Amino acid sequence: MENGQEEIKVEPVTNDAAIDEVKNEKPVCKVEESAAKETSKEPSSELLEKIKNQVEFYFGDVNMQRDKFLIEQTKLDNGWVPMSVMLNFKMLTSISKDIDVILKAIESSEFMEISEDKKKIRRSPNHPLPVYNEEYRKAQEARTAYIKGFPLKDINIEKLKAFFSAYEPFENIIMRKYQDKDKKLQFKGSIFVQFKTLEDAKAFMARESVKYGDTELIKKWSADYSLEKAKEKEDRRQKRSEMKAKKSESAKEKNDESGEDDESEKDSSLPKGCVIHFTDAPEKCTREDIKERLGELDASIAFVDFKIGDKEGWIRLQGENSAKAVVDKMKDSKVLICDKEVTCRILEGEEEEKYLAKAKEEMTNVRQKYTKGKKGKKGRNAQRGQRKRRNSESNDSVSAKKPTVD
């Protein structure tokens, strides 16, 4: 495995619903210890440092979080891993296949231990693995930066490592990639860099300018980037919902044209006792989070009036006095959404009337916009048809006046 990773985002060019997948290095064919010896001169300090960093990465917190092969190996012998197994890691063997050189590099590491017979290595018990829980994941995200602006070609993880070695200490680099139409991996020009400490991450983000060649790099906190992407996804979902609403309004418009205006007006009236107002919404909360949570309370939701980043919102349910049954299932009128308690209450009296009037007005505006667009389209089509007919008549007249040629 490289000291760094490639994030493989499998997504067609036109598809935004993609799934991120990080590939771990798998063992290559085994190399016999006797065949791994290299006859070379005394290794340089730069080579030893490179080997040490690579081995420490293999046994480090980031890699041991997901490297199933190495995790299984460490369970076999109290954490010890034979050097013959280590020679299965292609990034390490690309640096050196000489076991003596590798062990010499590890001797200076406080993080690693070498067995007495010099045939095995392990992560020092003085550096136990962390508990990989939600708290650890959030701490990882807090010290991770999203960086964009790298060239799409002629770049690899080694070049990125060399570039960032001039900045604050980092634990991991993830190159963001996707599959093109030919199913070939293409670099997106952006990466995630996880720094060793939160202070290191803050120091990097505080730098006024970071350039790769002549290109100024764009820096964002990973959490902020994720929030932006969540908002974009929510906006696209909202647009799809509006399109569905327009289609529904189209069906109502047909009823209006058939003289069923009164019935349509009845359908557009909104029931009372169906609106829940909530406050203290989590920063990254989405409409889908709200729908999912209230769905667990058997709420039949008609519409969620809320945007990501808002602190309050409104949930309109289906059916007269339907809000009370949902709120009664909450403890102290509070519900847990995205690990945060959200306070809820039922709109009543004048406040409810104002909100329902506003909601009805917005629904009417949507219907009217759709109706105007539909009628405008019909008018344009009719005009085009008339022009065609006029042109046809004119052509016929000219043809009739043409002299006959024998």
Side-chain angles (χ1 to χ4, degrees):
M1 172 167 249
E2 300 172 351
N3 186 1
Q5 301 157 358
E6 296 179 347
E7 180 191 75
I8 303 174
K9 193 168 185 180
V10 182
E11 58 176 11
V13 175
T14 57
N15 187 3
D16 55 72
I19 302 174
D20 291 340
E21 175 185 341
V22 178
K23 280 194 174 182
N24 290 324
E25 179 185 86
K26 301 301 180 184
V28 297
C29 56
K30 291 189 176 181
V31 181
E32 295 296 331
E33 184 176 347
S34 59
K37 297 290 182 181
E38 295 175 348
T39 56
S40 61
K41 60 183 180 180
E42 188 70 16
S44 65
S45 58
E46 290 81 4
L47 177 63
L48 294 177
E49 183 68 16
K50 195 172 183 180
I51 294 171
K52 185 187 79 167
N53 289 340
Q54 189 62 40
V55 173
E56 286 183 344
F57 173 78
Y58 287 142
F59 289 86
D61 295 349
V62 174
N63 192 52
M64 290 299 292
Q65 186 175 358
R66 53 178 159 263
D67 193 331
K68 294 181 180 180
F69 174 75
L70 192 56
I71 291 171
E72 291 302 317
Q73 290 296 316
T74 58
K75 292 178 180 179
L76 300 178
D77 186 13
N78 198 26
W80 293 107
V81 179
M83 289 304 300
S84 58
V85 173
M86 293 306 303
L87 290 176
N88 285 321
F89 289 85
K90 60 183 179 182
M91 194 64 191
L92 178 61
T93 54
S94 71
I95 304 172
S96 177
K97 296 180 182 178
D98 191 324
I99 291 178
D100 291 335
V101 173
I102 296 173
L103 293 176
K104 183 177 179 64
I106 299 173
E107 285 176 357
S108 61
S109 173
E110 296 180 359
F111 190 73
M112 300 298 299
E113 285 186 354
I114 302 173
S115 64
E116 292 183 3
D117 60 6
K118 296 189 180 298
K119 291 184 178 181
K120 296 177 285 187
I121 61 174
R122 72 175 178 181
R123 175 174 171 144
S124 172
N126 296 328
H127 297 277
L129 286 170
V131 178
Y132 296 118
N133 53 17
E134 183 63 16
E135 183 180 355
Y136 178 80
R137 188 198 67 76
K138 288 181 179 179
Q140 275 187 312
E141 184 181 47
R143 61 179 188 271
T144 300
Y146 165 84
I147 307 168
K148 180 180 179 181
F150 296 97
L152 302 180
K153 305 293 183 182
D154 191 30
I155 192 166
N156 55 37
I157 197 72
E158 286 301 315
K159 289 183 178 181
L160 289 169
K161 285 162 51 182
F163 173 75
F164 280 96
S165 64
Y167 297 96
E168 284 69 29
F170 63 89
E171 277 187 330
N172 194 27
I173 296 176
I174 297 177
M175 294 180 71
R176 303 185 66 240
K177 294 191 175 185
Y178 70 97
Q179 282 187 354
D180 61 17
K181 291 181 178 179
D182 298 325
K183 301 203 179 215
K184 292 181 180 179
L185 293 179
Q186 303 293 344
F187 179 45
K188 302 180 76 171
S190 59
I191 64 174
F192 287 109
V193 179
Q194 181 179 311
F195 293 91
K196 285 196 173 181
T197 66
L198 180 58
E199 289 69 28
D200 292 332
K202 288 180 177 179
F204 177 81
M205 293 298 288
R207 290 179 178 272
E208 186 174 346
S209 175
V210 179
K211 290 186 175 182
Y212 189 88
D214 296 328
T215 304
E216 184 73 31
L217 297 177
I218 297 171
K219 310 190 303 292
K220 296 179 184 179
W221 288 107
S222 175
D224 292 340
Y225 171 77
S226 298
L227 183 59
E228 287 179 10
K229 286 298 172 185
K231 284 183 177 180
E232 289 176 8
K233 187 176 181 180
E234 181 69 13
D235 288 343
R236 287 193 293 268
R237 184 183 291 115
Q238 180 64 16
K239 285 181 180 178
R240 289 195 293 267
S241 297
E242 289 174 358
M243 291 300 293
K244 289 181 180 179
K246 285 182 179 181
K247 289 181 179 179
S248 177
E249 293 299 330
S250 175
K252 292 181 180 179
E253 178 63 21
K254 288 181 179 179
N255 290 336
D256 291 342
E257 293 174 355
S258 301
E260 299 178 5
D261 296 341
D262 294 339
E263 188 65 29
S264 178
E265 186 65 28
K266 289 179 181 179
D267 291 341
S268 65
S269 63
L270 299 175
K272 290 189 176 182
C274 67
V275 182
I276 298 175
H277 175 256
F278 62 91
T279 55
D280 305 320
E283 184 179 3
K284 296 183 180 181
C285 179
T286 67
R287 290 187 183 91
E288 293 305 313
D289 294 327
I290 297 168
K291 289 179 181 179
E292 181 179 354
R293 186 65 186 90
L294 265 70
E296 295 173 0
L297 301 178
D298 299 325
S300 181
I301 298 175
F303 185 74
V304 178
D305 186 359
F306 175 78
K307 292 181 180 179
I308 296 177
D310 290 351
K311 294 299 181 183
E312 65 173 351
W314 294 261
I315 306 164
R316 183 160 52 82
L317 306 178
Q318 298 178 10
E320 195 89 9
N321 299 319
S322 54
K324 185 177 184 305
V326 175
V327 174
D328 286 346
K329 294 180 181 180
M330 303 177 185
K331 185 177 181 181
D332 299 325
S333 299
K334 294 182 179 180
V335 62
L336 199 65
I337 302 177
C338 296
D339 299 325
K340 184 178 179 181
E341 279 194 339
V342 175
T343 304
C344 301
R345 66 184 180 87
I346 302 172
L347 289 191
E348 296 177 327
E350 185 179 351
E351 187 180 16
E352 180 190 26
E353 289 179 4
K354 285 183 178 180
Y355 181 80
L356 290 177
K358 178 185 173 184
K360 187 174 180 179
E361 182 181 356
E362 290 176 351
M363 291 170 65
T364 302
N365 289 339
V366 171
R367 184 184 302 114
Q368 288 176 346
K369 284 181 181 178
Y370 177 80
T371 302
K372 287 179 180 179
K374 185 176 179 182
K375 289 181 178 179
K377 186 175 180 182
K378 286 182 178 179
R380 289 192 296 273
N381 289 337
Q383 289 174 3
R384 282 196 293 268
Q386 289 172 2
R387 283 198 296 271
K388 282 184 178 180
R389 286 192 293 274
R390 284 197 296 269
N391 289 339
S392 297
E393 292 170 1
S394 175
N395 290 337
D396 290 342
S397 299
V398 171
S399 299
K401 293 179 181 179
K402 285 182 179 180
T404 305
V405 179
D406 294 331

